[in-house]
């Protein structure tokens, strides 16, 4: 691997700096589901079914290390629900990956695809590994062997992986290559998030951050904060955080703080997110830019209009939810707010616009990529951005309508949109005994 494309989501390093995990992704996902279901007149058996994945594939991935020793890693691919289409979701390389985490994250993918009305179900996978400790050659070997181990469970009509924490366009290229070689034909649609030169979509890499910015902009409009008078703090300066911060800055907001695992740059008069390279490009960039860095924990409790947690899950918890001073939270990471913290923020009238809407631009452009692969016709960047804007606004409108008509939180509203579509689909297809 000659170049090293940036990993998709934000700095997984931030995990090291974060509080110990207080609630697993699966616990949060199940509690959110149960809570949202109380607003809907749906068969409780259906909700019970959705608390469980269809299948979780666990594989062992042996590789020969550069020093000749054997490295043995564990990998997972969780399939949650496929009633609306093939399983879809990211693949992460992170030392904290667990079976449970993959299940929780696969559930969020089911809701995310349903909120966006994409013809996909939900999946998530990962390998328990710190990719920083792998050489490029070891990373490639690990990826190819993992692909071989899960080959029977993936495919353009079955399950389509994509980048997530610690994986990148390069990872997707190796998966596509390994899969295509084994199948004996070129199958670009087996993964999304590839480089455009081999069937990837323009705009895919920036899409999750772009959607976070679009949704933050719409939320500001909804709550009457003119962007020109709005201050924003962004936790995480990987792809999601950096792209969201830069777009909001372009649209007139004042980004007062950004952070990575090393700490946060804060200036109440505003900082220039364009002047700071992304964490994956230059890991020390944020703290080098900061004249007087503050901590990640302090960033979360800054007195700003909009807080965007875009690093890792489980950062707004029962322990700090009382101290959040932002007027609005827009989730860039998957699962940054625990169930208990959500309740505290709701009690305090701080709206939280959820991950399954805000960062859904990633999977939406993955869908565009999949269409381009099937049709063997590339879209221009302008076309991708225009379509993404349309899809995000349409999903925003669907969720806003539920907020207004039912007087529920944004998270419950997004779940209601998703669950309504899923229940209807399950109703038609039925449970095959
Ligand atoms: N990993 C991204 C997410 O969490 C994208 C998934 C995809 O494109 O399939 O939404």
């Amino acid at each position: 691997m000659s170049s090293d494309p940036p990993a998709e989501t934000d700095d997984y390093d931030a995990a090291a700096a974060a509080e110990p995990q207080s609630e697993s992704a699966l616990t949060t996902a199940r509690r959110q589901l149960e809570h949202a279901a109380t607003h809907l007149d749906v068969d409780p058996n259906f909700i019970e079914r959705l608390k469980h994945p269809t299948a979780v594939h666990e594989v062992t991935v042996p590789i020969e290390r550069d020093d000749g020793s054997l490295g043995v890693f564990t990998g997972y691919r969780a399939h949650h629900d496929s009633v609306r289409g093939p399983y879809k979701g990211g693949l992460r390389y992170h030392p904290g990956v667990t079976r449970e985490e993959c299940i929780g994250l696969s559930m969020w993918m089911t809701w995310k695809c349903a909120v966006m009305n994409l013809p996909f179900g939900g999946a998530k996978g990962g390998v328990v590994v710190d990719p920083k400790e792998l050489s490029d050659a070891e990373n490639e070997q690990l990826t190819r062997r993992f692909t071989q181990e899960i080959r029977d469970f993936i495919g353009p009509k079955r399950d389509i992986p994509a980048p997530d924490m610690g994986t990148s366009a390069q990872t997707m290229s190796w998966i596509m290559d390994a899969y295509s070689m084994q199948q004996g034909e070129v199958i670009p649609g087996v993964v999304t998030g590839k480089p455009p030169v081999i069937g990837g979509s323009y705009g895919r890499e920036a899409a999750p951050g772009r959607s976070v910015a679009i949704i933050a902009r719409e939320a500001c409009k909804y709550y009457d904060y003119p962007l020109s008078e709005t201050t924003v703090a962004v936790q995480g300066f990987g792809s999601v955080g950096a792209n969201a911060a830069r777009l909001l800055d372009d649209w007139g907001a004042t980004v007062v703080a950004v952070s990575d695992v090393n700490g946060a740059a804060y200036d109440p008069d505003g900082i220039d997110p364009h002047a700071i390279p992304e964490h994956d490009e230059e890991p020390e960039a944020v703290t080098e830019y900061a004249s007087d860095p503050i901590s990640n924990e302090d960033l979360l409790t800054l007195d700003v209009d909009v807080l965007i947690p875009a690093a890792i899950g489980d950062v707004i918890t029962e322990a700090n939810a009382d101290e959040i001073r932002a007027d609005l939270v827009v989730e860039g990471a998957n699962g940054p707010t625990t169930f208990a913290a959500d309740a505290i923020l709701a009690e305090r009238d701080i709206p939280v616009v959820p991950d399954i809407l805000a960062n859904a631009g990633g999977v939406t452009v993955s869908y565009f990529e999949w269409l381009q692969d099937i049709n063997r016709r590339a879209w221009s960047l302008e076309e991708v951005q225009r379509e993404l804007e349309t899809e995000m606004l349409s999903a925003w409108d669907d969720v806003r309508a539920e907020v207004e008509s039912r007087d529920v939180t944004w998270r419950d509203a997004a779940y209601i949109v998703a669950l309504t579509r899923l229940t209807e689909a399950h109703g038609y297809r039925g449970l095959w005994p």
Side-chain angles (χ1 to χ4, degrees):
M1 179 169 97
S2 51
S3 62
D4 191 7
E8 146 112 347
T9 32
D10 289 358
D11 49 297
Y12 52 86
D13 278 351
E19 291 287 306
Q21 293 278 309
S22 63
E23 188 172 282
S24 76
L26 181 56
T27 305
T28 305
R30 283 189 173 148
R31 287 187 179 158
Q32 289 172 348
L33 171 63
E34 276 167 6
H35 188 260
T38 61
H39 298 289
L40 279 175
D41 184 21
V42 286
D43 182 349
N45 290 327
F46 168 67
I47 300 301
E48 186 55 34
R49 161 67 190 83
L50 284 177
K51 284 188 204 161
H52 304 274
T54 308
V56 186
H57 305 287
E58 176 175 338
V59 296
T60 297
V61 192
I63 62 163
E64 188 186 330
R65 307 293 303 239
D66 291 345
D67 64 3
S69 66
L70 181 75
V72 181
F73 299 92
T74 303
Y76 302 97
R77 188 71 187 165
H79 288 169
H80 177 245
D81 185 87
S82 65
V83 74
R84 292 169 45 84
Y87 296 105
K88 183 86 191 82
L91 180 67
R92 56 175 61 173
Y93 288 179
H94 187 280
V97 165
T98 61
R99 188 176 187 278
E100 282 218 329
E101 184 192 60
C102 290
I103 299 171
L105 289 161
S106 72
M107 291 170 71
W108 285 327
M109 286 310 302
T110 302
W111 323 139
K112 206 182 280 192
C113 293
V115 168
M116 295 308 301
N117 217 357
L118 305 176
F120 288 138
K124 201 76 162 204
V127 177
V128 190
V129 62
D130 182 350
K132 292 218 161 127
E133 287 174 9
L134 296 173
S135 69
D136 292 346
E138 290 171 339
N139 195 329
E140 176 171 356
Q141 234 197 102
L142 178 86
T143 303
R144 289 184 182 276
R145 182 63 191 253
F146 180 61
T147 307
Q148 177 56 23
E149 298 301 335
I150 60 165
R151 188 159 63 92
D152 287 345
F153 316 124
I154 61 173
K157 295 182 194 157
R158 221 170 261 171
D159 172 15
I160 307 133
D164 202 271
M165 287 184 192
T167 58
S168 65
Q170 177 62 77
T171 322
M172 297 306 118
S173 309
W174 288 326
I175 297 177
M176 175 208 157
D177 188 68
Y179 185 82
S180 297
M181 297 288 280
Q182 289 294 333
Q183 302 295 113
E185 56 183 310
V186 181
I187 308 178
V190 64
V191 282
T192 56
K194 301 175 293 293
V197 72
I198 52 167
S201 178
Y202 293 112
R204 169 63 186 80
E205 210 268 320
R210 176 168 280 268
S211 71
V212 169
I214 292 171
I215 294 299
R217 184 195 68 202
E218 293 308 305
C220 285
K221 212 186 286 173
Y222 184 81
Y223 286 108
D224 274 336
Y225 305 136
L227 276 187
S228 58
E229 293 165 28
T230 297
T231 54
V232 184
V234 182
Q235 186 192 41
F237 212 66
S239 165
V240 183
N243 281 299
R246 288 172 189 160
L247 272 173
L248 287 167
D249 175 77
D250 290 347
W251 295 340
T254 307
V255 177
V256 295
V258 299
S259 72
D260 67 10
V261 63
N262 307 309
Y266 171 57
D267 183 341
D269 295 328
I271 59 180
D272 179 7
H274 291 276
I276 311 174
E278 280 180 31
H279 179 76
D280 304 303
E281 292 160 12
E282 258 184 56
E284 308 294 327
V286 168
T287 35
E288 271 167 18
Y289 176 93
S291 45
D292 191 11
I294 62 168
S295 70
N296 262 286
E297 194 52 35
D298 287 343
L299 176 141
L300 290 174
T301 55
L302 285 175
D303 187 7
V304 289
D305 298 311
V306 183
L307 172 65
I308 302 181
I312 52 164
D314 199 17
V315 293
I316 304 180
T317 67
E318 218 172 346
N320 62 4
D322 269 324
E323 275 125 63
I324 301 292
R325 284 186 291 162
D327 295 312
L328 174 66
V329 177
V330 179
E331 295 183 331
N334 288 317
T337 315
T338 66
F339 185 75
D342 241 356
I344 295 169
L345 294 175
E347 180 72 20
R348 295 183 55 213
D349 275 333
I350 300 176
V352 179
V353 185
D355 45 7
I356 57 170
L357 170 64
N359 74 22
V363 72
T364 302
V365 177
S366 277
Y367 169 59
F368 300 162
E369 180 171 332
W370 186 72
L371 293 178
Q372 293 170 69
D373 289 338
I374 291 170
N375 292 313
R376 296 288 198 265
R377 183 189 159 269
W379 302 4
S380 67
L381 177 62
E382 293 68 33
E383 211 171 342
V384 169
Q385 290 181 347
R386 196 173 52 238
E387 291 291 325
L388 176 61
E389 175 86 19
T390 306
E391 296 301 330
M392 292 315 304
L393 292 185
S394 157
W396 166 262
D397 282 343
D398 292 343
V399 174
R400 183 181 42 77
E402 296 297 343
V403 167
E404 285 171 357
S405 68
R406 294 176 192 259
D407 193 20
V408 291
T409 64
W410 289 89
R411 191 178 321 275
D412 280 343
Y415 266 79
I416 287 165
V417 170
L419 288 174
T420 304
R421 289 177 180 151
L422 284 157
T423 329
E424 221 176 298
H426 274 285
Y428 277 114
R429 287 188 59 173
L431 190 67
W432 191 21

